[in-house]
Amino acid sequence: VGANPNPNPHPNPNPNPNPSLSVRVPKPKPMSENSGFAMALSLFLGGAVASWAARPLVRALTTSAPKPIKYIVLRYTYVENMLERRGPYRAEHLANAKAASEKGWCAIAGAYDPCDGAVLLFNADKCSVADVENFAKADPYVTAGLAQWNVVHYNAVCGTLMSKL
């Protein structure tokens, strides 16, 4: 076996004695500093290796995710015995919900089972939080003292309904 022609056993990071067989690996570009996933993976796997190895996965997770569909959720909490007490107010309540649906505001609405509350999903691109609050304040269930309400924001990102939207 021949002697190593290089007197310094490791003059460069590639200890391969035959430079023609060396493979140059390009220096990985840093991933986005905004990627918490990239940072966590980098800490777990170790620096540049994680950055290089995780880049396609991070890109897939951050760029191919569907854009959320934004909703405004009106949540009702009903009084006890709501089924027995709602009778005189139900027709107007349903008429208001139907009118909101016809305007494109209300995407879906319904009561819980058992009937101790309800949820109405409003399309955030068709109406505002103020519109939803005004809807709730005018609801006969609310004005009659049968329901308490609050409004929250909701971002739909997956599910079987997403393909129907």
Side-chain angles (χ1 to χ4, degrees):
V1 181
N4 185 351
N6 190 342
N8 185 349
H10 300 288
N12 62 40
N14 183 0
N16 186 348
N18 187 347
S20 63
L21 297 178
S22 296
V23 176
R24 292 253 184 233
V25 176
K27 182 179 177 184
K29 296 177 185 172
M31 284 189 278
S32 167
E33 293 179 15
N34 296 330
S35 172
F37 175 80
M39 181 181 297
L41 189 61
S42 180
L43 291 171
F44 180 73
L45 293 178
V49 171
S51 176
W52 174 78
R55 189 171 304 132
L57 178 60
V58 170
R59 189 177 304 118
L61 291 174
T62 59
T63 60
S64 66
K67 183 177 177 183
I69 298 174
K70 296 186 178 292
Y71 290 97
I72 302 165
V73 181
L74 174 58
R75 299 187 297 192
Y76 284 148
T77 302
Y78 292 154
V79 296
E80 288 192 36
N81 303 318
M82 180 62 168
L83 291 174
E84 294 82 18
R85 298 173 66 182
R86 71 183 181 184
Y89 313 100
R90 185 162 168 74
E92 185 181 351
H93 167 78
L94 293 175
N96 291 349
K98 184 177 180 183
S101 295
E102 289 171 352
K103 285 190 215 180
W105 288 10
C106 186
I108 193 165
Y112 303 139
D113 186 6
C115 189
D116 60 356
V119 170
L120 295 86
L121 260 63
F122 288 82
N123 295 302
D125 62 338
K126 306 279 184 185
C127 62
S128 67
V129 169
D131 293 328
V132 175
E133 289 173 343
N134 289 333
F135 175 91
K137 290 174 187 174
D139 189 314
Y141 286 1
V142 172
T143 60
L146 299 178
Q148 298 290 317
W149 60 274
N150 72 321
V151 172
V152 296
H153 295 274
Y154 177 76
N155 297 314
V157 295
C158 69
T160 57
L161 288 176
M162 294 291 287
S163 64
K164 296 176 185 353
L165 302 174

